[in-house]
Amino acid sequence: MGNNRFVAIWGSGGSGKTLLTVKFAKELAAQKKNVLIIHCDDETPVLPLVLPVSENIKSLGNLLAMSNSTQVAVLQHCTVFGSSGYISLLGYKLGENAISYREYSSKDVKNLFNMCRQIPTVDYILVDCSHHTIDNVLTIVALETADAVIKVSNSNIKSTVYIESQKKLLREERFHYCNQINVLNNVLPSQDTYPFREALGGAPYVLSHCSSLEEQYHERKLLDSLYGKAGKKFESVIKQLVKEVFFDE
Ligand SMILES: Nc1ncnc2c1ncn2[C@@H]1O[C@H](COP(=O)(O)OP(=O)(O)OP(=O)(O)O)[C@@H](O)[C@H]1O
Ligand SMILES: [Mg+2]
């Protein structure tokens, strides 16, 4: 693992992809790295879920609809997230959906991702994928082209069944499915994780359920630090993952 600049965060519905993407960005920002997050979800726009304010927000849909976008256009469509200035977001806005803009192709997405990679002020690109894998062009291209894919699953039967089905969908060599990095998230203290780790083919990172995370999520305060034993434990696993997956340590 190590030194991956363009990372896709993918996995089962409601497993914590969006929340973990923001927590990875927060840890990278703490290390003074500039992070660009691309939220793929065009069914439930993510910008209104994570941003505490709604003014001056531009849409990723608008950027993808441009026939010739540039690095400047990418930056103009970003929204700065948090007070550090290290994190920027690209995503869909409140009220938008998959048909709000003209259709875009996988070539358009490849161009956008390449352009993002070439922005000199961007150190890391995190793609918060949709679990509607093949219906979402941003997600499918991210899974194909990312330096690393973090697969998020919950320790329940629904997540396990989803992953088993998606494995077949992503069996082509271009997806490097076997190299995905497995994360088991939202595990309750009393839970036996063994069957779920087995179903994933191993999970080097296990993140516990933390009730203050739910509060943060609902209050749109995911960039705040966590407190208490569960919070500190959660943050230490995030730190370890960032060190091993994003930095070459
Ligand atoms: N470790 C955790 N402890 C407590 N709650 C969690 C944890 N991880 C995720 N959650 C909660 O799970 C819910 C879903 O999280 P999130 O929206 O990040 O999932 P997602 O995978 O992005 O969902 P979707 O598939 O809809 O995009 C949120 O309410 C979030 O607070
Ligand atoms: Mg999400």
Side-chain angles (χ1 to χ4, degrees), residues 59-241:
S59 173
L60 169 61
N62 192 258
L63 179 65
L64 281 164
M66 292 169 75
S67 48
N68 267 320
S69 60
T70 57
Q71 287 187 7
V72 173
V74 173
L75 293 170
Q76 281 172 343
H77 284 77
C78 286
T79 305
V80 176
F81 183 33
S83 56
S84 73
Y86 284 109
I87 308 173
S88 298
L89 310 182
L90 276 175
Y92 287 87
K93 295 197 297 185
L94 186 65
E96 294 182 338
N97 55 54
I99 58 162
S100 299
Y101 297 92
R102 76 159 172 87
E103 266 189 54
Y104 55 86
S105 64
S106 56
K107 194 171 161 234
D108 296 325
V109 174
K110 280 179 185 157
N111 285 341
L112 172 69
F113 287 170
N114 278 335
M115 208 142 44
C116 294
R117 277 183 187 265
Q118 282 159 23
I119 299 175
T121 50
V122 173
D123 298 312
Y124 288 93
I125 299 147
L126 309 187
V127 184
D128 170 23
C129 293
S130 163
H131 67 276
H132 293 296
T133 312
I134 50 165
D135 293 336
N136 188 288
V137 184
L138 286 154
T139 293
I140 205 83
V141 175
L143 292 179
E144 199 182 336
T145 59
D147 301 331
V149 175
I150 295 174
K151 182 203 298 145
V152 188
S153 173
N154 291 147
S155 43
N156 61 40
I157 186 74
K158 198 169 174 187
S159 262
T160 307
V161 168
Y162 172 85
I163 297 292
E164 200 53 37
S165 294
Q166 300 293 303
K167 197 197 290 180
K168 305 243 163 18
L169 204 62
L170 302 176
R171 66 177 176 269
E172 285 174 45
E173 186 51 37
R174 65 191 165 116
F175 293 114
H176 313 285
Y177 186 85
C178 296
N179 296 339
Q180 292 188 350
I181 299 152
N182 298 331
V183 173
L184 199 59
N185 179 40
N186 212 352
V187 175
L188 293 167
S190 57
Q191 262 189 318
D192 174 13
T193 58
Y194 181 77
F196 305 107
R197 283 186 284 123
E198 278 289 289
L200 281 172
Y205 303 102
V206 176
L207 288 152
S208 303
H209 171 80
C210 175
S211 51
S212 47
L213 268 173
E214 281 175 334
E215 273 165 48
Q216 282 193 348
Y217 192 100
H218 293 295
E219 291 172 8
R220 299 185 182 97
K221 287 184 176 169
L222 284 174
L223 290 179
D224 283 3
S225 293
L226 290 163
Y227 296 97
K229 209 173 153 197
K232 290 294 156 205
K233 198 173 152 203
F234 182 92
E235 284 185 343
S236 80
V237 178
I238 295 284
K239 238 185 226 313
Q240 186 198 345
L241 185 151

Side-chain angles (χ1 to χ4, degrees), residues 22-46:
V22 173
K23 291 297 183 188
F24 298 146
K26 174 176 155 57
E27 177 58 23
L28 287 163
Q31 313 279 335
K32 301 198 176 345
K33 301 296 180 194
N34 285 307
V35 186
L36 171 60
I37 302 182
I38 303 172
H39 296 290
C40 301
D41 200 329
D42 55 15
E43 289 182 330
T44 309
V46 178

